[in-house]
């Protein structure tokens, strides 16, 4: 079953002719169809019913109509035929019914007053116009009259009457003076609806002689003027003076003073009145009252409310205006005039009548022969209008009879019409307030189907949107419409299609497979016709990357992206808008292919930016907001209020926050009295606060300024506030940081931090300095000094304590009593050296020194600590002297012992101890000699291996650079290395200490050996030195090796191996730098020397891998094992027992804060650290 519904005007491109006729919508017909179809006349344009014309211009009475064939026109005047051919002043426009009456060439407008009606007629019927009443406008002059001056007592009411001449249309009234200036109006003086000027009470300033009423006749563009009216207001004082001049002294005289009066209505009069208004018009009700004081007007509706949205008050609430009134607005409206003495009221009974208005106007009918139809004419009004029918302009009662027509009140019923039934019918609805006239034709046609939509019309739509395929048609009887897809497709049915009454096919959701050819077929009993249209469904346009919200600082750069995807057959255009308007014409805005860039952003760039992508079929858009932020504008309008001696309230108005909320305000002040031009921080408050109570100091000339702060930064400072000078007062505080330190042994230097200018609290700032020796029953000694920060007391004993105080004072008095501080007079060098110096040698590199403290009286100053001077006298192993370099360790505070680290083993040292105070060092104690015991030696200075033979090698070495004792022997260990880099058995040889060379015999030929060599003292073995060497080959093997080495394939193989080794070395280097392990390290870990124990945390050693050179013998299977260990010296001494170097530092409590490091520096290597470079043959052997 086909699904049908009525198409809206917005969807259809061409509305079906038949629907046009029935719906009474005056939609133009298809131009080609208009040339072929007959149509009764239709009035398209006519003059208004009440037509007021300018008597100085030609009269044009309009009457236009359409129809097929074109209609002819005729006119009636005052109900009789108007023969225009007999009047030379009247002409009719060609192809039109419009009359032109020539007034400008001698005609008089008054001669053509009357009621005119136009008739348009063709073979299908006759249409008539409204009755057009022609009246020329009139603007008569004022009649001359003698106007007496108005003399009024002050406070009385007054009405100046205008009484303009009766014109057509009525004039517009206004009051002006001789200078053509409108007279001012108010609640007291105003113009009424009738044009009169009302004074609720007159005042002396109302006296004038040029109250002039003007009448403006807009139709003729003329203004008429009434003679000026004079008003003289007499005040009570002037009346009394006049009466006094005309009466004797014995008469009782005197006008009554101006008395207040309760309201009295000037218009309308009485207590009630009536008003009739027509529906749809504007209702104007007026109440003007006299009284003193001037009354106030109020309006109410009895039993209801004044209509909302349609009620307005004008003329200072003296006029109630209700627009578009209806019958519901009928009722009683009360105006109430009130002043302090009472009130007056008036009730206006309003009745709303109605000229006829349409409920259902008759609509044109287009019928086929044999069809039925109706014309309906329904109207309403108050009183209810009378309905009458005409046929072709003739009352239907006397019109030619038509058997298919039947009149039933407001309806004409047509049955089985024939072509002769075509006619134009008029419906007239009238009552005493007006009439309505409507033409509606009945057009009986017999026409085969016609399709008005062009053939093969192309429709393009976007996927998933509706597709509307037009099939505008006409035929009588009305054709049936069917749709097919494709030339030979089946008829379209189902819910996926919508078939509209005007022939349009709607595909609610078009898909890509909806593309194709669609055929529309129209048929009725007179014929059949078809038409094809094309549908293309396109991919939708999409914004795949939309612009995003941006926050940018002023003068920055910002970009919005708008990347789109669209159908390849559509050409998109991209438009950028700002706040729904075009982008500013500014070179800072750069529009790219898929972005918008704004350079040097300013505040005016703030807003919403929209990217709009348009194609011929669709449009998409996306928006993003740009917020331009900046430092806030400075606050303004600073104001000081509530000024007190020690406080003031500061308020301000914040500046623009520039889209970044103000977080706080910083208040600064300037002291114009002491530091003009210098601004100081006072306080700060949250950004929501705009007032602050500020604490003030005496004797300061304050100016304040405010700085606003947001996330972007600080604003410029505001303009400074007014100055506020606080009164002087005693100082509130005394100087701070008072100290007493002697610079010489016989003085005391008293210093303090002076008060700042605003702390002085008044002029004449000075200081009272007082001192006395502590623990001695002495009186205070005082002196008053100027505004300085130092005073020197001379002639004091050396280093004795003093009580000191410094008090501020100014011209108004002293500050509060100051607190006392303890100082000391000057120091002198200590007199006594520490005694009983003892040294305890702990090991070969560490000793502990003890001494007796120096008595404090002998220190003669602040005890800062003790210094230990020590130096090496000679090495006991070499008996050779060298340059003596003294070392110094300082021990803070009253310590009596210390540790001497970093000593050299087997050496003779001297030391002495001195006490230190603030002045310097005291005398040294007698030198104390001590010796360090033997230690392990350093490694031999060199190891060289020479004279290689088939079975022997010669070793030469140098003694250790630092023997650290008496050498007892040398230890040599060696082991062979095979071709796979595995180690053979380890051989150990002990060599007397006085030897310096050794020949090793019975070695294997052509074998690489690794040697480990170190020296020994009675304490133990020292660090070892390693070396490698190769014994030579026999001649037969050498010749074979040489033969192989000369082969090309072998040379190539060796090059490849060398390249591979190079690559491996590079990889190992990279991994080593990254801290990772490499294969050699892994092999060492796998073949660790069992004699070498890993260092554990519990014995103070470290179990880490060291890449330093190995100096221990390697067991079999280990290529380059590492055994370097650093053992922590066993000591019970804590770090505080160690002194500082020369540049050591102490904590405030005198404790030692230096560090002692037990790390041993690496001994410098002497001699050869590796074997000589092997010969090519040896190198070759190493690869075999």
């Amino acid at each position: 079953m086909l699904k049908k519904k009525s198409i809206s005007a917005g969807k259809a491109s061409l509305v079906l002719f038949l629907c046009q006729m029935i719906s009474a919508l005056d939609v133009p017909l298809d131009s080609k169809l208009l040339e072929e179809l007959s149509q009764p006349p239709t009035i398209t344009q006519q003059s208004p019913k009440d037509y007021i014309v300018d008597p100085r211009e030609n009269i044009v009475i309009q009457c236009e109509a359409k129809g097929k064939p074109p209609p002819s026109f005729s006119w009636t005047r005052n109900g009789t035929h108007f023969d225009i051919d007999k009047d030379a002043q009247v002409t009719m426009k060609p192809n039109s019914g419009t009359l032109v009456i020539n007034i400008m060439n001698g005609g008089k407008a008054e001669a053509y007053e009357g009621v005119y009606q136009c008739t348009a007629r063709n073979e299908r019927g006759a249409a008539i116009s409204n009755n057009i009443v022609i009246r020329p406008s009139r603007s008569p002059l004022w009649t001359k009259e003698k106007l007496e001056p108005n003399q009024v007592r002050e406070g009385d009411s007054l009405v100046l009457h205008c009484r303009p001449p009766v014109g057509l249309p009525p004039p517009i009234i206004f009051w002006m003076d001789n200078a053509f200036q409108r007279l001012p109006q108010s609640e007291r003086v105003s113009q009424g609806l009738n044009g009169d000027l009302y004074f609720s009470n007159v005042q002396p300033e109302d006296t004038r002689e040029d109250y002039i009423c003007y009448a403006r006749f807009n139709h003729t563009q003329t203004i008429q003027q009434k003679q000026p009216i004079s008003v003289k207001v007499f005040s009570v004082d002037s009346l009394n003076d006049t009466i006094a001049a005309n009466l004797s002294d014995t008469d009782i005289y005197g006008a009554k003073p101006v008395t207040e009066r309760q309201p009295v209505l000037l218009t309308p009069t009485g207590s009630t009145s009536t008003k009739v208004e027509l529906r749809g018009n504007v209702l104007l009700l007026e109440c003007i009252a006299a009284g003193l004081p001037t009354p106030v007007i109020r309006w109410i509706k009895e039993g209801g409310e004044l209509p909302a949205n349609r009620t307005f008050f004008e003329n200072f609430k003296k006029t109630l205006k209700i627009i578009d009134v209806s019958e519901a607005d009928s009722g009683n409206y009360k105006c109430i005039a009130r002043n302090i003495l009472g009130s007056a009221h008036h009730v206006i009974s309003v009745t709303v009548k109605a000229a006829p208005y349409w409920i259902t106007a008759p609509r044109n009918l287009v019928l086929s022969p044999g069809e039925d139809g109706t014309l309906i004419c329904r109207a309403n009004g108050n009183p209810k209008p009378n309905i009458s029918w005409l046929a072709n302009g003739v009352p239907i009662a006397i019109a030619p009879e038509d058997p298919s027509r039947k009149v039933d009140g407001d309806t004409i019923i047509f049955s089985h019409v024939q072509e002769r039934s075509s006619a134009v019918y008029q419906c007239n609805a009238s009552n005493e307030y007006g009439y309505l006239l409507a033409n509606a034709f009945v057009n009986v046609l017999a026409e085969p189907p016609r399709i008005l939509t062009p053939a093969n019309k192309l429709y393009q739509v976007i996927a998933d949107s509706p597709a509307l395929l037009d099939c505008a048609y006409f035929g009588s009887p009305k054709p049936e419409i069917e749709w097919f897809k494709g030339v030979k497709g089946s008829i379209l049915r189902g819910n996926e299609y919508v078939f509209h009454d005007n022939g349009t096919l709607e595909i609610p959701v078009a898909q890509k497979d909806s593309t194709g050819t669609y055929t529309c077929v129209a048929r009725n009993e007179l014929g059949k016709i078809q038409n094809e249209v094309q549908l293309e469904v396109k991919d939708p346009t999409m914004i795949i990357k939309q612009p995003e919200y941006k926050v940018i600082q002023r003068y920055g750069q910002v970009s919005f992206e708008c990347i789109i995807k669209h159908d390849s057959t559509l050409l998109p255009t991209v438009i950028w808008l700002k706040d729904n308007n075009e982008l500013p014409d500014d070179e800072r805005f750069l529009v790219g292919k898929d972005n918008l860039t704004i350079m040097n952003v300013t505040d005016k760039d703030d807003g919403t930016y929209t990217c709009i992508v348009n194609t011929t079929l669709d449009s998409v858009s996306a928006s993003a907001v740009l917020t331009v932020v900046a430092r806030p504008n400075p606050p303004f309008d600073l104001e000081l209020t509530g000024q007190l001696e020690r406080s003031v309230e500061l308020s301000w108005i914040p500046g623009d926050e520039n889209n970044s909320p103000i977080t706080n305000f910083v208040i600064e002040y300037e002291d114009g009295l002491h530091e003009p031009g210098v601004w100081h921080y006072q306080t700060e408050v949250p950004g929501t606060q705009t007032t602050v109570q500020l604490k003030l100091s005496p004797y300061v000339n304050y100016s304040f300024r405010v700085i606003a702060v947001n996330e972007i930064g600080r604003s410029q400072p505001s303009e400074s506030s007014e100055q506020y000078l606080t009164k002087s007062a005693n100082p509130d505080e005394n100087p701070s940081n008072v100290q007493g330190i002697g610079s010489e042994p016989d003085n005391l230097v008293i210093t303090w931090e002076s008060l700042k200018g605003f702390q002085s609290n008044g002029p004449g700032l000075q200081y009272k300095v007082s001192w006395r020796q502590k623990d001695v029953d002495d009186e205070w000694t005082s002196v008053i000094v100027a505004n300085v920060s130092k005073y020197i007391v001379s002639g004091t004993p050396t280093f004795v304590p003093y009580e000191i105080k410094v008090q501020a004072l100014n011209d108004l008095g002293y500050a509060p009593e100051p607190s006392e501080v303890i100082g000391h007079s000057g120091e002198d060098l200590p007199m006594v050296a520490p005694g009983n110096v003892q040294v305890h040698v702990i090991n070969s590199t560490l000793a502990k020194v003890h001494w007796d403290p120096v008595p404090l009286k002998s220190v003669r100053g602040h005890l800062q600590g003790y210094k230990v001077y020590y130096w090496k006298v000679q090495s006991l192993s070499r008996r050779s002297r060298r340059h003596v370099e003294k070392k110094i360790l300082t021990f803070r505070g009253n310590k009596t012992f210390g540790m001497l680290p970093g000593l050299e083993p087997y050496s003779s040292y001297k030391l002495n101890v001195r006490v230190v105070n603030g002045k310097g060092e005291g005398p040294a104690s007698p030198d104390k000699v001590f010796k360090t015991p033997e230690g392990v030696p350093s490694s031999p200075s060199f190891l060289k291996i020479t004279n290689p033979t088939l079975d022997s090698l010669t070793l030469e070495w140098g003694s250790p650079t630092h023997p650290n004792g008496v050498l007892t022997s040398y230890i040599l260990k060696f082991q062979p290395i095979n071709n796979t880099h595995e180690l053979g058995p380890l051989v150990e040889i002990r060599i007397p200490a006085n030897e310096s060379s050794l020949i090793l015999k019975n070695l294997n030929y052509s074998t690489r050996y690794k040697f480990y060599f170190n020296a020994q003292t009675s304490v133990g073995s020292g660090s070892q030195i390693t070396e490698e060497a190769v014994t030579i080959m026999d001649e037969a093997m050498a010749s074979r090796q040489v033969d192989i080495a000369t082969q090309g394939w072998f040379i190539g193989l060796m090059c490849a191996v060398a390249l591979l080794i190079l690559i491996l070395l590079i990889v190992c280097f990279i991994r080593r730098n990254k801290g990772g392990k490499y294969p050699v390290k892994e092999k060492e870990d796998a073949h660790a020397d069992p004699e070498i124990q890993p260092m554990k945390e519990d014995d103070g050693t470290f179990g880490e891998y060291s890449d330093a050179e190995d100096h221990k013998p390697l067991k079999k299977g280990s290529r380059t094992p590492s055994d370097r260990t650093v053992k922590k010296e066993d000591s019970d001494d804590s770090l505080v027992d160690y002194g500082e170097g020369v540049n050591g530092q102490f904590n405030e409590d005198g404790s030692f804060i230096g560090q002692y490091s037990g790390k041993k520096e690496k001994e410098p290597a002497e001699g050869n650290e590796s074997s000589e470079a092997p010969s090519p043959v040896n190198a070759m052997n190493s690869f075999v």
Side-chain angles (χ1 to χ4, degrees), residues 197-209:
L197 191 63
Y198 292 85
F199 294 78
S200 295
N201 53 80
V202 295
Q203 301 296 327
E205 60 266 22
D206 296 328
T207 298
R208 62 190 308 153
E209 297 180 351

Side-chain angles (χ1 to χ4, degrees), residues 133-153:
V133 180
I134 302 296
R135 294 185 296 169
S137 64
R138 291 186 293 273
S139 53
L141 299 175
W142 250 292
T143 57
K144 292 187 177 181
E145 56 182 330
K146 185 177 181 181
L147 300 176
E148 296 294 333
N150 292 276
Q151 297 185 359
V152 192
R153 190 178 71 164

Side-chain angles (χ1 to χ4, degrees), residues 175-177 181-191 197-199 205-206 208 211 316:
W175 290 79
M176 293 197 299
D177 58 15
Q181 298 297 316
R182 285 186 178 269
L183 294 175
Q185 298 191 21
S186 62
E187 291 184 344
R188 186 177 63 85
V189 182
S190 60
Q191 177 183 315
L197 191 63
Y198 292 85
F199 294 78
E205 60 266 22
D206 296 328
R208 62 190 308 153
Y211 287 93
F316 308 98

Side-chain angles (χ1 to χ4, degrees), residues 206-434:
D206 296 328
T207 298
R208 62 190 308 153
E209 297 180 351
D210 56 350
Y211 287 93
I212 305 174
C213 182
Y214 289 86
R216 183 174 65 211
F217 298 89
N218 284 343
H219 215 79
T220 57
Q221 297 182 350
T222 58
I223 296 178
Q224 303 292 347
Q225 173 184 337
K226 185 182 179 75
Q227 290 181 337
I229 301 175
S230 174
V231 174
K232 185 173 183 181
V233 179
F234 292 96
S235 65
V236 174
D237 292 340
S238 62
L239 284 174
N240 286 338
D241 292 342
T242 302
I243 294 172
N246 292 285
L247 296 176
S248 65
D249 294 339
T250 58
D251 293 329
I252 299 175
Y253 65 92
K256 294 181 180 180
V258 176
T259 58
E260 296 180 338
R261 293 176 290 107
Q262 68 180 21
V264 176
L265 289 175
L266 297 176
T267 183
T269 58
S271 60
T272 62
S273 60
T274 61
K275 173 79 172 181
V276 176
E277 191 56 79
L278 292 182
R279 179 179 185 269
N281 288 353
V282 176
L283 174 64
L284 294 173
L285 304 179
E286 180 181 58
C287 275
I288 301 177
L292 185 68
T294 302
V296 177
I297 305 297
R298 184 170 67 91
W299 291 90
I300 62 172
K301 183 181 181 182
E302 294 182 344
E305 298 290 335
L306 295 175
N309 302 324
R310 295 189 294 116
T311 302
F312 303 92
F313 298 100
E314 297 178 347
N315 196 20
F316 308 98
K317 292 191 176 181
K318 299 174 186 178
T319 302
L320 171 65
K321 177 180 178 180
I322 302 176
I323 62 174
D324 191 24
V325 295
S326 64
E327 289 84 345
D329 295 322
S330 297
N332 293 329
Y333 292 82
K334 179 187 285 187
C335 70
I336 303 170
R338 185 183 303 277
N339 67 10
I340 59 176
L341 298 181
S343 64
H345 67 269
H346 185 92
V347 177
I348 304 174
S349 179
V350 175
T351 302
V352 178
K353 298 291 186 178
Y357 55 92
W358 290 118
I359 296 176
T360 304
R363 298 180 180 180
N364 296 330
L365 280 179
V366 177
L367 301 174
S368 300
E371 288 187 333
D372 302 335
T374 58
L375 287 179
I376 301 174
C377 176
R378 290 177 183 165
N380 201 357
N382 187 9
K384 186 174 181 61
N386 178 52
I387 303 294
S388 61
W389 288 95
L390 296 87
N392 294 326
V394 178
I396 201 166
I398 60 175
E401 291 189 4
D402 182 353
S404 65
R405 177 183 70 210
K406 179 183 177 181
V407 179
D408 185 10
D410 58 7
T411 303
I412 302 179
I413 303 171
F414 296 93
S415 305
H416 298 91
V417 297
Q418 302 301 319
E419 285 195 62
R420 65 177 180 274
S421 300
S422 296
V424 181
Y425 292 87
Q426 290 81 33
C427 173
N428 185 299
S430 61
N431 66 11
E432 60 185 281
Y433 296 108

